[in-house]
DNA sequence: AGCGACTATAGGGTTTTCCCTAAATTTATA
DNA sequence: TATAAATTTAGGGAAAACCCTATAGTCGCT
């Protein structure tokens, strides 16, 4: 059973979403929140699998902040952004804040249920419309946004840095060893995190070992 | 060939050390430094395996700082502390600053050569006298100072935290998940680092995986 | 009742990591 | 020779990790 929290300050809309979901056997709306504060409070008290979050809640900035807050503090809880806006820059900002899905408010019942199930299974949900918007908007689209399971090709330097990180060296120590600046090392470390699609060195090491880059 | 740098402001002593070492086939004194500055400069230009460091160089604080500097920036370079003092507190301070060996200035040739070779092979060198001084001085002696290769026994909580770190969670996220404070999680993380004898989470993950605590 | 291991918490501080943006140089390659 | 990929450096800023000391409650064992 997927536990869903609806965060929207429009009563009518909450009702609508809930009725759409009511048909699904494995999804249940367990919480309805009309303010940012109540969302934070609820998450602190109850385990929630998916949050359907109106990004204009009540203002766009509030929604983005709340989205960031949720994904930072409760990584198990997935956020699907709901909004009436369909511009690329907003979608990107939302994704950057950790949302796993993005739906326009004129979405269908099928799409809504599918999005909930998809994000709950650790995947991202973006329909064709959203994907199209993202793709047709310059080169800023992350190389490895999907990032799961694919083996990144490392540059020679990146491999070196990866090996040194796995030896427990700090950035400064690596810099001394490679005879480059700390900033250069930082750059390679950052590239590694991006290529492997991980948030920190701990998971980088684990992932790299599993993928046989180390050992 | 083990490259040795002697750091001492007493000319006579440098000469003495050098003549003692001259007999060894696999050890070579490549640098002699009479000031802190020259040590730093040399290390930046030349690869050194072992530094024989007079802790009173010229004052105790200077030697300790230099020792810390070397071990922090050049972890491959091992430091053997040389001094005339034999009090426990100083020994501990030196070890805390990263020295891998501690010799009194009335040491023998055999001991000197053995100390150089031992620390160069990633091990620590403390003779019976030093060990005795450390043991007979209260409970402050670290539980796992040696730490290499032995499998630590983890408490239930430590195991949990280790697993969560390996999943890439931050301290705050773990705290939320375990319903405890961030400080509590920090404590367990710190215990893990100590028990495994590693300096950071990157090496913690690698070591824990190799020892089959993870996966 | 006392001891030790485990757990949790706190305050304060330093270092390191991580993120963002930006730009110059080299090297390979189409 | 453009173009792209790789490497290097930089500055600033926010978050996280790391280190230290100190207290305190719980539990099991002696």
């Amino acid at each position: 059973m997927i536990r869903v929290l609806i965060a929207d300050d429009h009563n009518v809309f909450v009702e609508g979403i809930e009725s759409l979901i009511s048909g699904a056997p494995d999804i249940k709306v367990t919480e309805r929140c009309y303010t940012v504060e109540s969302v934070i409070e609820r998450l602190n008290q109850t385990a929630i699998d998916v949050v359907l979050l109106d990004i204009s809640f009540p203002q766009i900035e509030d929604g983005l902040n709340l989205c960031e807050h949720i994904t930072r503090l409760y990584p198990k809880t997935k956020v699907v952004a709901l909004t009436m806006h369909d511009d690329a820059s907003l979608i990107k900002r939302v994704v950057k804040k950790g949302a796993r899905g993005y739906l326009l408010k004129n979405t269908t019942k099928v799409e809504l249920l599918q999005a909930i199930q998809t994000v709950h299974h650790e995947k991202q949900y973006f329909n064709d419309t959203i994907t199209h918007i993202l793709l047709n908007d310059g080169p800023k689209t992350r190389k490895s946004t999907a990032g799961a399971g694919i083996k990144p090709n490392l540059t020679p330097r990146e491999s070196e840095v990866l090996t040194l990180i796995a030896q427990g060296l700090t950035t400064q120590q690596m810099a001394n060893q490679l005879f480059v600046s700390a900033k250069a090392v930082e750059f390679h470390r950052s590239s590694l995190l991006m290529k492997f699609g991980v948030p920190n060195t701990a998971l980088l090491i684990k992932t790299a070992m599993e993928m046989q880059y180390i050992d």
Side-chain angles (χ1 to χ4, degrees), chain A residues 75-100:
Chain A
K76 276 189 172 175
T77 301
K78 308 303 186 303
V79 175
V80 173
L82 282 164
T83 152
M84 290 181 298
H85 313 283
D86 64 350
D87 59 295
S89 66
L90 179 59
I91 298 174
K92 284 179 191 167
R93 292 176 69 191
V94 169
V95 172
K96 267 190 184 171
K97 297 298 187 182
R100 303 300 186 94

Side-chain angles (χ1 to χ4, degrees), chain A residues 21 70 109 193:
Chain A
I21 291 179
I70 296 171
K109 176 177 178 178
L193 294 182

